[in-house]
Amino acid sequence: HHAASCNAAERHGFVLEGISRQHRVIDKRTPIRDPHLPFSRDTAWYSMLDREWWLIHHALYEWLGSYNFGPDGKQKERLESYRDRILARSDGGGGNGRRAHAKRTRDE
C-alpha cells in the first residue's frame, strides 16, 4: 500500500518533495471504477540530500547493531530514537537540524 511505503521512506529519513498527481496511467480496468476509464495513480517523490546522509547513516548503523535486538529478534528501540539522540548530540539539543516532514497523500 502507498501509505506504508510513505511511512517507511519517512522513517528512514527521506523527505517528501512532492506529489505528481495521476503520474502513472495504466490501462487496467477494475470493477470498482468506470470500466471505460483507465486506472491512474499518484506518485510521491522523496529525497535525501548528501548532507543529510550522515545522520541517517549513523542512526541506521546504531539501530541495526546486535545490542538493539533481543533474543527473539525484535528491536528494543525504534530508528527514530537513534536519529533523535544523534541529532541532539550534533546540534546541542536545539533541534535545528531536523526538517519538518510534509504531509503525504494517498493513491487515487
Side-chain angles (χ1 to χ4, degrees):
H1 189 263
H2 187 67
S5 298
C6 291
N7 288 335
E10 290 178 10
R11 188 172 59 250
H12 285 88
F14 289 87
V15 176
L16 179 66
E17 293 292 337
I19 304 290
S20 293
R21 296 173 50 208
Q22 295 186 351
H23 174 247
R24 298 214 22 150
V25 177
I26 305 166
D27 190 20
K28 177 180 177 184
R29 313 290 187 217
T30 63
I32 298 170
R33 297 178 179 272
D34 182 341
H36 303 292
L37 297 175
F39 174 76
S40 66
R41 61 172 283 229
D42 297 347
T43 299
W45 296 94
Y46 285 84
S47 71
M48 181 184 302
L49 301 177
D50 55 352
R51 66 176 180 256
E52 297 167 332
W53 170 242
W54 72 269
L55 171 64
I56 304 307
H57 168 77
H58 291 292
L60 284 170
Y61 184 81
E62 290 185 26
W63 178 62
L64 291 172
S66 60
Y67 47 84
N68 188 38
F69 294 91
D72 58 357
K74 291 187 179 181
Q75 70 179 0
K76 295 177 183 177
E77 291 190 64
R78 298 170 56 108
L79 175 59
E80 292 88 344
S81 299
Y82 285 98
R83 195 169 53 234
D84 290 345
R85 274 199 302 275
I86 291 168
L87 189 59
R89 288 192 309 249
S90 69
D91 69 6
N96 295 328
R98 170 164 269 189
R99 286 176 59 176
H101 291 281
K103 184 178 177 182
R104 58 183 179 273
T105 61
R106 61 176 179 80
D107 280 344
E108 289 188 358

